[in-house]
Amino acid sequence: MAELELLGGVREVPRETWNALVGEGSPFLEWEWLASLEEAGVLGARSGWTPCPLVARQGGRVVAACPLYLKANSEGEFVFDHGWADAAERAGIRYYPKLLVGVPFTPVTGARLLTAPDVERSAWLPRLAAGLRELCRSHALSGVHVNFCLEDEAAPLADAGFLPRLGLQYHWSNPGYGELEDFLQRFRSKRRNQIARERRSLAERGVAIETHAGDAIPDDALAALFELYRATVDKHPWGRRYLNRRFFELLRQRFRSRLHLVLAREAGAIVAGAINVQKAGVLYGRYWGALREIRNLHFEVCYYRSIDHCIRQGLQRFEPGAGGDFKQTRGFDATPTRSLHLLADARLHAAVARFLEAERAEATRAIDWLREHSALKS
């Protein structure tokens, strides 16, 4: 008989046990990432993210789990429900706290219903979905939200009453390029010439671009991680400094083997950089920061050099992060993302269902149009 239990954090699960559930899945689900968020103190009442992972034990052994959080706001989720919260409040429905299954501050698709490799996953997905629904009911919460989940998780959640939501991101895929020039040749001549001018302007200015991964990352680059992150979030009015210096120190200790950095130097000093994460044939762009404003540097550091790394290493996909329609013109194609939502109040659930039906239709049309109008020649 399986037992479901709420814990006070991923740190309460042994590292090897949690990572066995993750397997070759998203690196942001690994114990090293999630436990570092907890230990750095960026989660909790102040940020509105209180960790309460759900684990399922069978014979005392953890065989399934969900990275679960009690949310006091809708910040750092990247699947936006602020309008739902406003409508609920106007109707006299308390929206917060709510439950969220996902990775804090990280809009990356990955498993949300984790299962051990030696159990029947198709049998455990409905149990976890039912467990989430029961937690919502027993704790009188407004709902449960499962963000950026896998396709095989959508049907069991929908069967449990969750409403599907469709979004989109821009991803790059590798059909087998031999070198970066093979990729650049797929652009139409006008765009290809523009990219060449942008890249040439940096060389003419004397900006040197370098890439490093794992143990080969220089110490001054590791020391600059937090400053690069802070440079972007502090620059924009919509920026939120969710992470702190301690988190990046923990990444240096625990997550270095997954890190891939693209750095720009001028006169030997780091002036900008992209912080990427690599695992199982996929490169994930997470943070970018510029300590000095240099025209065209963002595209070179965040996109072209990272794509070049993917081609050289034979990586199959590059996910540069959420947002940015301009990515489509840089050779990234529209890719659907999924989330599932359960609202406890019947009135709110019905209203959100109507909204999501229309939104899914619009998202499908947008993805089809963007794919038809890809910047790359077929």
Side-chain angles (χ1 to χ4, degrees), residues 171-177 279-283 310-311 313-319:
H171 297 172
W172 176 89
S173 59
N174 184 1
Y177 296 119
K279 183 184 178 184
V282 184
L283 188 69
C310 290
I311 294 171
Q313 297 299 315
L315 305 185
Q316 297 305 302
R317 192 169 72 253
F318 175 33
E319 300 185 16

Side-chain angles (χ1 to χ4, degrees), residues 71-89 95-100 142-147 165 339-343 348 352 355-356 359:
K71 288 299 307 296
N73 55 39
S74 293
E75 297 298 318
E77 299 177 14
F78 297 92
V79 176
F80 302 106
D81 65 345
H82 301 84
W84 306 355
D86 291 342
E89 295 296 335
Y95 197 75
Y96 303 110
K98 64 179 184 178
L99 288 174
L100 180 91
S142 71
V144 189
H145 307 263
V146 184
N147 288 357
R165 189 173 195 181
S339 62
L340 279 294
H341 307 268
L342 177 73
L343 289 309
L348 184 60
V352 169
F355 168 79
L356 290 179
E359 186 187 55

Side-chain angles (χ1 to χ4, degrees), residues 245-373:
R245 191 181 298 276
R246 175 60 177 156
F247 173 72
F248 285 95
E249 291 173 352
L250 289 169
L251 287 191
R252 293 171 61 178
Q253 299 169 21
R254 297 172 171 171
F255 214 67
R256 183 170 182 165
S257 64
R258 298 276 189 228
L259 295 178
H260 170 264
L261 305 185
V262 182
L263 302 175
R265 295 182 187 266
E266 194 169 36
I270 295 174
V271 294
I275 305 170
N276 300 327
V277 174
Q278 180 176 318
K279 183 184 178 184
V282 184
L283 188 69
Y284 303 89
R286 283 308 298 124
Y287 304 110
W288 139 267
L291 308 179
R292 189 181 304 168
E293 293 297 325
I294 300 176
R295 184 176 175 83
N296 300 322
L297 190 57
H298 173 260
F299 300 124
E300 180 69 12
V301 169
C302 289
Y303 302 150
Y304 304 129
R305 291 304 176 107
S306 294
I307 290 173
D308 182 58
H309 171 77
C310 290
I311 294 171
R312 291 175 183 271
Q313 297 299 315
L315 305 185
Q316 297 305 302
R317 192 169 72 253
F318 175 33
E319 300 185 16
D325 291 346
F326 54 82
K327 293 170 184 165
Q328 196 264 350
T329 63
R330 304 278 166 177
F332 295 82
D333 286 328
T335 302
T337 61
R338 295 172 179 81
S339 62
L340 279 294
H341 307 268
L342 177 73
L343 289 309
D345 184 276
R347 297 168 298 163
L348 184 60
H349 190 84
V352 169
R354 291 191 295 271
F355 168 79
L356 290 179
E357 183 177 8
E359 186 187 55
R360 286 193 302 272
E362 179 57 32
T364 299
R365 286 192 292 269
I367 291 169
D368 290 344
W369 188 92
L370 287 165
R371 287 177 170 176
E372 184 180 346
H373 293 81

Side-chain angles (χ1 to χ4, degrees), residues 145-199:
H145 307 263
V146 184
N147 288 357
F148 297 105
C149 63
L150 296 181
E151 188 173 1
D152 76 331
E153 298 166 333
L157 287 165
D159 290 342
F162 286 70
L163 301 171
R165 189 173 195 181
L166 189 66
L168 72 89
Q169 290 182 350
Y170 297 95
H171 297 172
W172 176 89
S173 59
N174 184 1
Y177 296 119
E179 58 183 7
L180 181 63
E181 187 59 30
D182 296 339
F183 165 66
L184 297 177
Q185 284 298 320
R186 290 193 60 198
F187 288 93
R188 292 165 179 82
S189 60
K190 182 178 180 180
R191 171 63 66 183
R192 190 167 62 247
N193 291 335
Q194 179 183 349
I195 293 171
R197 287 194 299 271
E198 292 172 354
R199 305 189 75 203

Side-chain angles (χ1 to χ4, degrees), residues 37-38 41-51 69-70 72-73 105:
L37 288 170
E38 296 172 6
V42 301
L43 304 180
R46 184 175 179 183
S47 66
W49 289 80
T50 300
Y69 298 85
L70 186 67
N73 55 39
F105 327 123

